[in-house]
Amino acid sequence: MSAPRRYRVPAARARVEDRIEHSRFITTLERAQTVDDAKACIDRVRDEFPDATHHCFAYAIGPPGNTGEAAASDAGEPSGTAGRPMLKVLLHSGVGDVVAVVTRYCGGVKLGKGGLVRAYSGGVQHALREAVTREHADEINVQVIVPYAAVDAIRRVLQREGAAVIAEAFFVNVALLVRIPADRLDEISRALADATAGAARIER
């Protein structure tokens, strides 16, 4: 099993605008946990700016630098001048689960291939500087089996440890379905055992 991962992801949408030789470059940056999330973001931006000349995009799903689920499009700009430079910036940004869309309104002045590369990559760099990020941690669901008398103590521990109770069932004991950071399973297990004198049991 691979080690649990922690990495930075966008916490909210970021949007910036750059004007270069009378062209407007509007860059939208969002979190995308799946390819479908990325495509939905791209569609939303297209709907927001239906009269734009180009909507170039790049996305990389997973931890920073992961190319397993990455894609880019020049969207009608000369080949290699938009999508690929944007993706290169994302892959080296230290931010994962990310999609960027650069919307261009042409201003009538040709920028040349080098100018386009600088404009599109620069827009993504600008958006990344402005973006608020947070830490993402791989999570797992576990079942916590606990006697009724220890439920309140368990809830206090889970809240303190940043774990989320997503379902519960009441039988002879109480069964809580809990989402926790994968890399803290042993630590949280010990805290639950300590709080209940060993009465709590965790099942994967």
Side-chain angles (χ1 to χ4, degrees):
M1 180 183 294
S2 61
R5 302 163 300 177
R6 287 180 177 268
Y7 53 89
R8 307 302 297 181
V9 298
R13 168 187 275 199
R15 175 168 285 165
V16 298
E17 180 172 335
D18 299 287
R19 291 179 179 266
I20 302 171
E21 296 291 348
H22 306 295
S23 281
R24 294 173 62 203
F25 292 86
I26 303 166
T27 303
T28 303
L29 189 84
E30 289 188 10
R31 187 179 184 189
Q33 294 178 267
T34 65
V35 172
D36 286 343
D37 287 348
K39 290 179 178 178
C41 170
I42 296 161
D43 288 341
R44 283 194 299 272
V45 173
R46 286 172 175 155
D47 289 342
E48 283 186 78
F49 304 102
D51 57 339
T53 315
H54 302 281
H55 295 289
C56 304
F57 66 81
Y59 61 80
I61 312 303
N66 179 48
T67 58
E69 289 186 285
S73 172
D74 295 315
E77 292 283 29
S79 178
T81 62
R84 189 173 299 172
M86 293 169 61
L87 180 59
K88 183 177 180 180
V89 173
L90 293 181
L91 292 175
H92 291 86
S93 68
V95 177
D97 291 340
V98 63
V99 55
V101 185
V102 179
T103 299
R104 183 188 181 191
Y105 285 88
C106 288
V109 177
K110 291 186 177 181
L111 301 180
K113 288 189 174 182
L116 289 171
V117 169
R118 288 189 293 274
Y120 282 101
S121 60
V124 177
Q125 290 167 343
H126 185 184
L128 285 164
R129 288 195 301 271
E130 298 298 322
V132 176
T133 64
R134 64 175 181 82
E135 186 178 66
H136 160 83
D138 283 350
E139 296 176 319
I140 57 172
N141 292 340
V142 298
Q143 187 168 242
V144 179
I145 310 297
V146 62
Y148 279 81
V151 168
D152 288 342
I154 287 294
R155 291 186 188 280
R156 286 193 294 271
V157 172
L158 293 174
Q159 182 177 23
R160 184 186 71 218
E161 300 294 338
V165 177
I166 56 179
E168 52 189 43
F170 300 89
F171 304 105
V172 175
N173 291 311
V174 180
L176 303 176
L177 183 62
V178 180
R179 182 175 296 127
I180 64 174
D183 60 355
R184 299 194 62 221
L185 174 61
D186 291 343
E187 180 183 348
I188 292 174
S189 296
R190 287 193 296 271
L192 294 175
D194 291 346
T196 61
R201 184 173 79 253
I202 289 185
E203 299 178 352
R204 293 290 296 271

